[in-house]
Amino acid sequence: MIHLVLGGARSGKSRFAEAQVQQYLADAAGINISADCIYVATAQALDSEMAQRIRHHQTQRETDDINWHTIESPLELTTALKEHAGENSIILVDCLTLWLTNHLLQEEPALQKQVNFEKQDCWQQVKTDFLQTLSELSGTVILVSNEVGCGIVPMGEINRRFVDEAGWLHQNIAAIADRVTLVTAGLPLNLKG
């Protein structure tokens, strides 16, 4: 089962996704099945502000009722999913747009300086492999991602490419997902499933 959870910054999408894990756990317990809960984190602490955000999420996971097994995977998301997915697994990936950013910035070794757009095929292959793997996984996978296409068109080539790639990634995942939910102001809107 694939569940895509979209929302803007501070929309409540991560909290909603974690509540979905709680619900899946309760459903599994109701039929006497134990489930492994895996949290795949894609963030990288490249500055102090991001390090604080990561620590905030870690603290939240430490204090909730879910016994998480956390995997740090800023780039190798497909590999992490292959290694940890199983019939009784619930995997929460937070978040796809950070994973996309990591790949787009990796295409140019001089991170954040200049991006060589001749290397777009690297991301395209990563995305193709990810989508293929996602469609073959067993268990439950909840994917959290920022919906960034509802605002103004950003200035700068890398920024516009990011918005485009995120939109295309979301469309591709939504096509194969069992459920898609948009979260705004902490309120979920069911789009599919």
Side-chain angles (χ1 to χ4, degrees), residues 82-145:
K82 286 179 182 177
E83 288 178 4
H84 297 283
E87 280 300 317
N88 297 327
S89 66
I90 303 169
I91 300 175
L92 190 153
V93 176
D94 198 356
C95 88
L96 292 178
T97 43
L98 285 174
W99 175 64
L100 168 61
T101 299
N102 296 339
H103 277 283
L104 293 180
L105 293 177
Q106 184 197 33
E107 290 180 2
E108 174 59 39
L111 292 176
Q112 291 115 358
K113 292 195 178 175
Q114 283 190 333
V115 177
N116 180 353
F117 292 101
E118 305 295 323
K119 299 181 180 179
Q120 289 186 23
D121 59 334
C122 295
W123 164 247
Q124 295 307 320
Q125 187 59 54
V126 167
K127 182 173 85 168
T128 298
D129 293 345
F130 170 74
L131 293 167
Q132 180 64 40
T133 296
L134 194 58
S135 66
E136 298 169 351
L137 293 177
S138 58
T140 299
V141 181
I142 302 170
L143 304 163
V144 176
S145 197

Side-chain angles (χ1 to χ4, degrees), residues 9-10 39 41-59 61 72 74 94-95 97-99 101-102 105 112 146 162:
R10 299 291 177 245
Y39 188 103
T42 61
Q44 296 183 85
L46 299 177
D47 58 40
S48 60
E49 187 269 341
M50 183 55 90
Q52 288 176 342
R53 285 177 181 254
I54 291 169
R55 186 64 202 138
H56 174 74
H57 278 272
Q58 290 170 335
T59 301
R61 286 194 306 274
E72 304 282 340
D94 198 356
C95 88
T97 43
L98 285 174
W99 175 64
T101 299
N102 296 339
L105 293 177
Q112 291 115 358
N146 288 288
F162 168 77

Side-chain angles (χ1 to χ4, degrees), residues 135-181:
S135 66
E136 298 169 351
L137 293 177
S138 58
T140 299
V141 181
I142 302 170
L143 304 163
V144 176
S145 197
N146 288 288
E147 178 50 67
V148 295
C150 295
I152 61 171
V153 176
M155 293 179 60
E157 191 172 356
I158 184 66
N159 300 324
R160 287 188 301 274
R161 179 169 179 222
F162 168 77
V163 170
D164 289 348
E165 294 293 351
W168 291 323
L169 178 63
H170 295 159
Q171 288 182 55
N172 294 145
I173 294 169
I176 61 174
D178 302 287
R179 293 183 64 196
V180 180
T181 305

Side-chain angles (χ1 to χ4, degrees), residues 7-59:
R10 299 291 177 245
S11 64
K13 62 190 176 298
S14 294
R15 190 171 0 132
F16 173 79
E18 291 170 8
Q20 292 301 290
V21 172
Q22 291 277 16
Q23 184 59 54
Y24 295 136
L25 281 173
D27 293 347
I31 56 175
N32 218 15
I33 296 175
S34 66
D36 296 322
C37 296
I38 298 117
Y39 188 103
V40 181
T42 61
Q44 296 183 85
L46 299 177
D47 58 40
S48 60
E49 187 269 341
M50 183 55 90
Q52 288 176 342
R53 285 177 181 254
I54 291 169
R55 186 64 202 138
H56 174 74
H57 278 272
Q58 290 170 335
T59 301

